[in-house]
Amino acid sequence: MTKQNYIEHLKKNFFLAYPVMLSQLGHMMVNVADSVMVGQLGALPLAGASLANVIFHLLLMFGIGVSYAVTPLVAAADGADDKKKSGELLKHALLINTITGIILFIIISVGGRGLYYLNQPQDVVDMALPYLNIVTLSLIPLMLFQTFRQFAEGLSYTKQAMIIVIGSNLVNVVLNYIFIYGKLGMEPMGLNGAGWASFIARVILAIWIAVYIYMGHNFRPYRPGFAIGRYSKMMLRKLLSLGLPAGFQFIFEVGAFGFAVIMIGWIGTEALAAHQIAINLAAISYMMASGLSAAATVRVGNQLGQKDIPSLRAAAFTIYGMVVVFMAFCATVFITGRYFLPSLYIDNADVIQTASTLLIIAGFFQISDGVQVVSLGALRGLADVKIPTALTFIAYWVLALPLGYYLGFTLEMGAEGVWYGLLIGLSIVAVVMFWRFNFLTKRLAAAGR
């Protein structure tokens, strides 16, 4: 593989990935906008948002993982120039993801009151529960959006979702300002106002992309994907065999960070608010890195469909290089801006001091976080999801969380100890997943595929 080939892969990866990165950033900016604007109300509403978002994002990320199944399959079908199969994949994914959204909505609606049994501050739970009940409504439109988005990304159309996400985010910020603080004659709704703003913005998000995919000229060959009925059990099983393990990958990773929130809640409200700030910022870089992960899924799946393993490996390793450079930059920003960035969220010296320490740790795990998320995307492009799911569980739940508890509470390192445990877990996942992708693709190359 020549230097020129790698430059071509770099260009293709960049133009495929940057709209996804901005789109993912746009999704995160909904949470950032909520946190920044709610943080102006004080540490208690910010802690309430943090606790509620643990539950909401845990199940939401499971749903997003399920929706990811369509991308590598569509990418492979596109590589083989099979438009009929791509349309059928869209139809079946719409069914699976709609049902998934409804199930997740029911789970959170019924189980939300379990927050009272997590040994969290009573006033934080009282603040979190009504907000959680509101944002739960947005799960179904979010799953519909994800279906169309992942389908379009599988066809290498990534800019459209970016534009739609940015537009809906502007709606969210405006509605936040009106609902949270009580503008244009409305009563101030506080944290609950942020919930209603997010729900309305996400409904607009789903409608906008559905209309675009249905009406768009480039998507006309796939319009049968909007049909209802005549589903294939084999195709449903194929999507679920990829989607469910991917969903559990997110459950194990996001759940680990979510349980870290629960543990930090045992320390106190200010520690929880500081964690919310630091994890909110770390999630920005993670979600942008997941844009590169999405590009890895598409490029690997597409080259696999064309049976071009050397190009598959070159495309993937170019993305690895891109994510290392990007996450190293993010690490520098977090460490140098560790006092300034938290001050954008809240005016509380103790919270800012704790958050600044956590941001140093976040800086250290940026490259590991980027490598592991790209590896998962590349492995997803190979339709390899079951073993990575098991490895993710072991790294976070068998190693990282017990170690975080030991450091945080037995050695009394507090929130810092919990975060050191997460740092170790991320590093282990990054090394193991990179090794697995390299091993599998070398084996494919040796087999002459």
Side-chain angles (χ1 to χ4, degrees), residues 96-432:
I96 289 173
N97 295 335
T98 300
I99 292 174
T100 300
I102 293 170
I103 292 172
L104 295 177
F105 167 78
I106 293 171
I107 289 173
I108 296 183
S109 297
V110 173
R113 295 191 66 81
L115 290 175
Y116 283 108
Y117 301 98
L118 297 179
N119 196 27
Q120 300 296 294
Q122 177 75 32
D123 52 354
V124 173
V125 177
D126 290 341
M127 182 73 66
L129 195 56
Y131 169 75
L132 176 61
N133 289 333
I134 296 167
V135 294
T136 294
L137 294 171
S138 66
L139 277 170
I140 297 173
L142 273 174
M143 287 303 298
L144 289 172
F145 168 78
Q146 274 298 122
T147 306
F148 290 115
R149 173 187 173 176
Q150 297 308 138
F151 171 75
E153 288 181 3
L155 296 172
S156 299
Y157 293 107
T158 57
K159 292 181 181 179
Q160 294 76 14
M162 173 192 73
I163 295 169
I164 292 169
V165 167
I166 291 173
S168 69
N169 284 347
L170 294 176
V171 173
N172 181 73
V173 171
V174 171
L175 293 179
N176 263 349
Y177 180 72
I178 295 171
F179 294 164
I180 293 175
Y181 306 125
K183 304 298 180 179
L184 300 181
M186 296 193 65
E187 290 291 324
M189 300 170 66
L191 178 57
N192 290 347
W196 284 115
S198 296
F199 168 71
I200 295 171
R202 286 163 178 165
V203 169
I204 293 172
L205 190 72
I207 294 173
W208 193 347
I209 197 168
V211 171
Y212 175 78
I213 297 292
Y214 186 80
M215 301 297 293
H217 174 75
N218 292 332
F219 297 101
R220 283 184 182 176
Y222 313 104
R223 193 170 288 179
F226 283 82
I228 297 175
R230 301 185 66 179
Y231 295 101
S232 163
K233 290 183 180 179
M234 184 175 69
M235 189 166 285
L236 289 172
R237 281 198 298 268
K238 182 64 174 177
L239 284 164
L240 288 172
S241 70
L242 291 177
L244 288 177
F248 281 110
Q249 284 177 6
F250 281 114
I251 283 279
F252 296 147
E253 181 177 354
V254 177
F257 280 86
F259 193 74
V261 173
I262 303 301
M263 288 196 289
I264 291 171
W266 299 337
I267 299 171
T269 299
E270 289 186 347
L272 191 58
H275 171 86
Q276 169 67 2
I277 293 169
I279 202 66
N280 200 243
L281 289 165
I284 295 173
S285 61
Y286 169 82
M287 292 302 286
M288 292 189 72
S290 72
L292 288 167
S293 175
T297 300
V298 174
R299 292 302 312 283
V300 169
N302 195 265
Q303 297 302 310
L304 187 65
Q306 296 179 26
K307 297 181 170 57
D308 188 350
I309 305 305
S311 289
L312 183 157
R313 282 174 56 84
F317 287 128
T318 305
I319 293 177
Y320 276 116
M322 294 169 69
V323 82
V324 168
V325 172
F326 173 73
M327 296 302 266
F329 169 76
C330 292
T332 303
V333 171
F334 289 162
I335 293 172
T336 58
R338 62 188 181 275
Y339 294 108
F340 170 72
L341 293 172
S343 70
L344 298 176
Y345 289 76
I346 196 169
D347 183 18
N348 182 309
D350 291 335
V351 172
I352 290 173
Q353 179 60 44
T354 303
S356 69
T357 303
L358 299 183
L359 281 176
I360 294 175
I361 302 171
F364 284 125
F365 69 57
Q366 287 304 289
I367 292 177
S368 295
D369 207 10
V371 170
Q372 67 90 19
V373 73
V374 165
S375 295
L376 288 173
L379 289 169
R380 201 175 297 125
L382 295 174
D384 179 52
V385 290
K386 293 181 181 178
I387 291 178
T389 299
L391 293 173
T392 300
F393 174 79
I394 293 170
Y396 288 116
W397 289 88
V398 177
L399 298 175
L401 284 177
L403 181 59
Y405 180 87
Y406 175 76
L407 295 173
F409 295 92
T410 304
L411 298 186
E412 298 182 350
M413 294 175 65
E416 294 176 48
V418 176
W419 273 60
Y420 280 123
L422 295 174
L423 165 63
I424 293 170
L426 280 169
S427 300
I428 292 171
V429 170
V431 171
V432 172

